[in-house]
Amino acid sequence: WGIHMLSLFVLDADSGEKVLVSVNPATERDLAATQDWQTNWTTSFAENLPNKVALHHAKNRELLELMSYELDSRSLAVEVIYLESARHSNVNLLHAEGGNKRYIGIVKALFAYAVQISMDAGFDGVVFFGLKPAICWITISVNSAHGR
């Protein structure tokens, strides 16, 4: 099988064209760009999340999504702890505001990346998404604030 390099992409929502993307460790600049997102990734909660990575547009470096994951050697899997699309493509925020996504397939791209991390770690591509109580509380709190 060996290690394969991913060629990740999302789709431009208007044109349907493929947009190449890249995944790198999240920087302070990436985290600071989340002030108007559903979750502010500069809070103490978010700062404590492990292995934060950022999905960027490959050409213009536009931030598309952040994800936190950890290698779970007991389960032999990668646990996706939390992920969130940028405001311009976040279905929860756009639903509340009546807007349209700029890109399609952002979450799929980072899940593909998580599968690659799992393969590289010898976990056969096993990935799971574990909802933590603190994350559930944040989601419920945000939704309650918006009257949902």
Side-chain angles (χ1 to χ4, degrees):
W1 290 61
I3 295 175
H4 301 280
M5 294 304 295
L6 293 175
S7 178
L8 297 174
F9 67 90
V10 297
L11 299 177
D12 181 287
D14 291 332
S15 69
E17 293 182 22
K18 286 184 179 180
V19 175
L20 294 178
V21 294
S22 63
V23 180
N24 296 293
T27 65
E28 291 300 320
R29 182 177 177 184
D30 293 328
L31 302 178
T34 66
Q35 299 298 311
D36 65 344
W37 287 25
Q38 190 170 340
T39 302
N40 180 342
W41 284 65
T42 62
T43 63
S44 59
F45 163 75
E47 285 179 353
N48 290 318
L49 292 172
N51 303 313
K52 292 181 280 288
V53 294
L55 183 74
H56 290 106
H57 188 295
K59 288 186 180 176
N60 65 18
R61 303 292 301 149
E62 177 183 19
L63 178 61
L64 306 182
E65 184 168 45
L66 292 171
M67 177 176 76
S68 169
Y69 70 91
E70 63 186 354
L71 300 175
D72 185 340
S73 56
R74 281 190 356 194
S75 300
L76 299 177
V78 167
E79 178 184 7
V80 174
I81 296 171
Y82 192 61
L83 72 157
E84 182 177 357
S85 296
R87 182 174 203 83
H88 58 66
S89 295
N90 183 309
V91 69
N92 292 331
L93 296 174
L94 293 173
H95 178 72
E97 298 167 356
N100 295 316
K101 284 184 166 187
R102 188 177 305 166
Y103 300 102
I104 298 169
I106 293 174
V107 173
K108 291 177 188 177
L110 271 183
F111 264 96
Y113 176 78
V115 169
Q116 183 67 57
I117 295 295
S118 176
M119 296 290 289
D120 293 349
F123 298 158
D124 295 329
V126 178
V127 172
F128 68 95
F129 187 62
L131 292 176
K132 303 286 188 199
I135 293 172
C136 293
W137 179 84
I138 288 171
T139 302
I140 291 167
S141 296
V142 168
N143 289 340
S144 296
H146 291 291
R148 289 182 256 150

